[in-house]
Amino acid sequence: MARIIYVEDDDLMGSVVKDILTAAGHAVDVVSHGTLGLQTIASDRPDLVILDIALPGMSGIDVARNLRQLPATRLVPILMLTASRSESVSREALDAGADDVMIKLVSYTGLVSKVERMLGAAD
């Protein structure tokens, strides 16, 4: 079981992703604000971070950049979820330190397999 923090301001999306990953055996906390998400991740040091790109307070891009600068979170895998299909948005997320980017209309199996792959790479 991995500890995952998902930073997402859309309650429905947060609930869906939490339910999917909880059913797959992971412990998931959802935080709805970018700045609070950064503070929570830095103090809790989860096994994986999932970030929405558009967040109040601080964007997911900025959260990722900050996480990569902190020694305690530098190596924590980051998955970005975005509603945008834009190549430039995905590139910006990867340049900021995300390990992977996924379009928000996630499938159960697609999300679980991507999370499992990222957690396996972190071992």
Side-chain angles (χ1 to χ4, degrees):
M1 172 177 75
R3 292 177 315 110
I4 299 170
I5 294 178
Y6 179 29
V7 186
E8 170 62 69
D9 62 326
D10 180 310
D11 291 339
L12 179 59
M13 189 68 186
S15 182
V16 167
V17 169
K18 180 176 181 168
D19 290 348
I20 289 170
L21 295 176
T22 299
H26 302 293
V28 181
D29 289 322
V30 180
V31 180
S32 62
H33 190 276
T35 306
L36 179 59
L38 176 61
Q39 294 167 350
T40 303
I41 295 161
S43 66
D44 291 357
R45 292 192 238 160
D47 300 307
L48 176 76
V49 171
I50 303 175
L51 298 171
D52 180 22
I53 288 182
L55 294 166
M58 177 184 289
S59 74
I61 300 286
D62 289 333
V63 172
R65 279 192 189 110
N66 279 279
L67 292 173
R68 290 301 181 231
Q69 292 176 1
L70 298 172
T73 57
R74 182 170 307 182
L75 299 177
V76 174
I78 298 172
L79 173 62
M80 288 277 205
L81 293 185
T82 179
S84 174
R85 296 184 183 276
S86 165
E87 188 84 18
S88 65
V89 170
S90 294
R91 174 60 33 216
E92 184 179 12
L94 294 169
D95 289 346
D99 295 287
D100 208 342
V101 180
M102 190 173 192
I103 302 299
K104 264 192 178 180
L105 299 174
V106 296
S107 72
Y108 176 89
T109 55
L111 178 62
V112 171
S113 67
K114 187 165 295 258
V115 164
E116 296 297 332
R117 220 174 16 254
M118 291 178 76
L119 288 167
D123 290 342

